[in-house]
Amino acid sequence: MNGDTMKETRKANPILNNQYHVSLNLNVRGLQESATLAINEQANRLIRQQKRVYKLGLGQSPFPVPQVVQEALRQNSHQKDYLPVQGLQALREAVAHYHSKHDCGHFNPDSVLIGPGSKELMFLLQISYYGDLVIPTPCWVSYSPQALIIGRPVVSISTSFENGWHLQPEQLRELCERDPGRPRLVILNYPGNPEGGTYSRKTLEEIAEIAREFDIILLSDEIYGQLSHSGEHISIARFYPEGTIVSSGLSKWCGAGGWRLGTFVFPESLKWLQNAMAAVASETFTSTSAPIQYAAVRAFEGGMEIERYLAHSRRILARLGNWAAARFREAGARVDSPQGAFYLFPDFTPVADKFISNNIPTSSELCRRALEESGVAFLPGSAFGRPEEELTVRIAYVDFDGSRALAASERIPLDQDIGDEFMEIYCHNTKKGIDLLCEWVDSL
Ligand code: GLU
């Protein structure tokens, strides 16, 4: 691509109303480092300069990789051969079995594709599929940049706090009816990053019906599925099996973000797309790290120890997330209590006057000033596709020692409340960071 045409052109598509926003990128020059990774590096830089920073920016699991999975990695450190492009057969079997069990489907090992992180698989998908990318916003920071890097049109559908920041079936219908034959890839992500909510069964069924009617390819990013706080997660693949690709991996529920292992499960009808992605994989990353794939077999096999680990992780996250949401509401934000993952998406619009009179007109300025003045690192709503002037922010409530918290939680029966004192002791940095941030808001 030509260097002179490198700037992003953002224009409203004349065929769509204001609810939608279409972006098209002509090149990658000027592309910034992904916001989630940049905030982490910035926070670490400040810490190296002896500053006290509360790290609520990067969404990384606070919990350790379960012992049995760590042990499996140790036992497989000698694995050195290149593995099949689509993934280790034993792992594909374990993943297929895992999805068949959790998502009530009949997945077979041939339908599984393993990659070095689900993020990379998403990029391969976007390279391999020619349709528009349709994303409800707010949404995770990388879906849209990936499409823009490739030069695919991105259609953002704006959601609202009132609707739980979730795509409404009628919004999707309206978009599809404007150009029914248009190929589209729609991404759903729940439990959701950045808002920590989830979709009801009814909404999933309605979205599935529209997807079927308009032949949509649905990428259901369910990487936080096992971190649904209630322990119940319904995959939309149950209602639209023929057009849904389910994305997951080890990063979130297994505390192994740095291991970089992602999984896609395809329906038979999208075999051609899976094969195309595998071809691109074979020309780029070849195959995913061998020791990690062998260890992942153990993770996807599950069992008592992993179930217990998950039950305690969920209990801690639910308690902390609920406390944090209430604390933000006290400080004037509107925010729902979370239902999964480890994120909140507070909206400070109800107290916007305070921010504006303090020269804070945008969400990025809010984050910049809060980091400088209160030492709390977190991300602006604009990184998640929201308008700059909307005072929304994403909080990842993960700055605590998950090993210590898990060990303490295991001493308290699962049917008991862990209590406020638990959070004070074992989730200290997160609690302190949120208190400091809310006090800073109060002081404006
Ligand atoms: N998914 C995580 C987040 O939203 C971090 C990983 C990443 O963005 O690559 O913070």
Side-chain angles (χ1 to χ4, degrees):
M1 263 172 271
N2 181 337
D4 296 336
T5 57
M6 287 179 181
K7 65 180 186 314
E8 180 189 350
T9 54
R10 277 178 166 258
K11 50 188 176 188
N13 184 325
I15 61 161
L16 300 171
N17 67 22
N18 287 337
Q19 209 179 11
Y20 311 113
H21 178 95
V22 180
S23 314
L24 201 62
N25 196 29
L26 301 177
N27 209 318
V28 295
R29 184 162 165 182
L31 200 72
Q32 306 281 313
E33 184 180 346
S34 188
T36 50
L37 305 171
I39 189 72
N40 195 43
E41 284 166 28
Q42 187 187 359
N44 288 342
R45 246 189 333 269
L46 291 170
I47 290 168
R48 282 198 297 276
Q49 293 162 15
Q50 315 301 329
K51 303 239 165 62
R52 184 76 189 87
V53 179
Y54 297 86
K55 293 175 66 179
L56 310 181
L58 177 68
Q60 160 159 280
S61 168
F63 302 114
V65 175
Q67 284 301 329
V68 283
V69 183
Q70 289 190 36
E71 185 50 36
L73 182 60
R74 269 191 287 275
Q75 281 170 13
N76 282 288
S77 58
H78 64 284
Q79 302 287 357
K80 63 170 208 35
D81 289 346
Y82 293 116
L83 293 180
V85 175
Q86 304 246 8
L88 178 70
Q89 179 65 18
L91 177 57
R92 296 169 74 197
E93 280 167 19
V95 171
H97 184 257
Y98 168 95
H99 280 286
S100 301
K101 182 169 137 211
H102 290 284
D103 304 335
C104 306
H106 297 286
F107 300 99
N108 67 58
D110 288 345
S111 67
V112 177
L113 183 61
I114 306 296
S118 56
K119 191 175 193 171
E120 184 63 26
L121 290 175
M122 287 171 193
F123 190 57
L124 290 191
L125 174 62
Q126 297 212 46
I127 287 178
S128 309
Y129 187 62
Y130 45 84
D132 288 356
L133 176 72
V134 178
I135 38 171
T137 62
C139 67
W140 176 52
V141 297
S142 293
Y143 302 134
S144 169
Q146 288 192 346
L148 298 175
I149 289 168
I150 300 163
R152 295 257 182 263
V154 178
V155 181
S156 308
I157 304 184
S158 181
T159 69
S160 66
F161 169 75
E162 288 74 15
N163 288 326
W165 302 113
H166 281 159
L167 175 68
Q168 299 304 293
E170 53 278 13
Q171 290 181 295
L172 184 59
R173 174 171 293 285
E174 194 193 324
L175 174 74
C176 293
E177 280 177 348
R178 284 165 188 262
D179 188 352
R182 200 172 174 88
R184 296 183 173 94
L185 170 68
V186 176
I187 303 188
L188 271 198
N189 167 221
Y190 67 97
N193 178 2
E195 90 297 342
T198 197
Y199 281 83
S200 70
R201 182 189 184 105
K202 181 167 168 285
T203 307
L204 292 174
E205 284 173 340
E206 287 170 13
I207 292 175
E209 200 178 302
I210 298 163
R212 178 170 297 122
E213 192 177 327
F214 293 97
D215 259 333
I216 285 170
I217 293 185
L218 208 55
L219 175 65
S220 190
D221 180 354
E222 302 183 22
I223 191 124
Y224 300 98
Q226 290 277 22
L227 293 183
S228 153
H229 295 170
S230 68
E232 278 152 33
H233 171 76
I234 304 176
S235 175
I236 194 166
R238 280 199 209 182
F239 313 121
Y240 184 43
E242 71 275 29
T244 304
I245 302 167
V246 181
S247 172
S248 189
L250 290 186
S251 299
K252 310 301 180 181
W253 66 267
C254 199
W259 285 24
R260 308 312 299 132
L261 186 125
T263 63
F264 267 22
V265 182
F266 292 79
E268 190 52 41
S269 53
L270 296 181
K271 189 80 197 162
W272 61 271
L273 190 49
Q274 181 183 352
N275 290 341
M277 285 174 60
V280 183
S282 75
E283 301 290 11
T284 50
F285 62 79
T286 304
S287 61
T288 302
S289 156
I292 297 294
Q293 289 203 56
Y294 278 96
V297 175
R298 182 64 194 87
F300 282 99
E301 276 171 2
M304 284 295 286
E305 182 170 331
I306 291 179
E307 283 308 316
R308 203 169 54 240
Y309 162 93
L310 284 170
H312 287 283
S313 305
R314 290 180 193 123
R315 173 167 73 168
I316 296 165
L317 292 174
R319 189 66 165 79
L320 184 59
N322 284 326
W323 170 82
R327 186 70 186 87
F328 280 114
R329 285 192 287 267
E330 253 174 56
R334 48 182 199 167
V335 58
D336 287 326
S337 298
Q339 294 167 295
F342 30 66
Y343 305 114
L344 290 178
F345 198 61
D347 179 2
F348 286 100
T349 301
V351 286
D353 286 356
K354 278 203 222 225
F355 289 93
I356 289 161
S357 58
N358 277 280
N359 223 359
I360 304 177
T362 63
S363 60
S364 14
E365 184 60 8
L366 194 166
C367 292
R368 197 191 65 73
R369 286 274 298 274
L371 178 56
E372 198 175 289
E373 294 169 24
S374 72
V376 187
F378 55 101
L379 286 170
S382 54
F384 298 83
R386 301 302 299 171
E388 259 294 350
E389 62 286 358
E390 181 184 271
L391 296 175
T392 46
V393 299
R394 189 196 75 170
I395 305 292
Y397 47 93
V398 295
D399 189 358
F400 60 92
D401 179 346
S403 304
R404 214 172 137 247
L406 273 185
S409 176
E410 295 215 350
R411 295 193 289 271
I412 306 170
L414 269 169
D415 56 0
Q416 274 177 33
D417 179 18
I418 50 177
D420 285 346
E421 208 190 332
F422 182 99
M423 287 187 299
E424 188 60 51
I425 301 171
Y426 298 105
C427 308
H428 181 76
N429 280 359
T430 296
K431 188 164 181 296
K432 179 85 183 161
I434 291 173
D435 275 331
L436 284 173
L437 173 56
C438 291
E439 283 159 22
W440 174 77
V441 173
D442 289 343
S443 75
L444 289 175

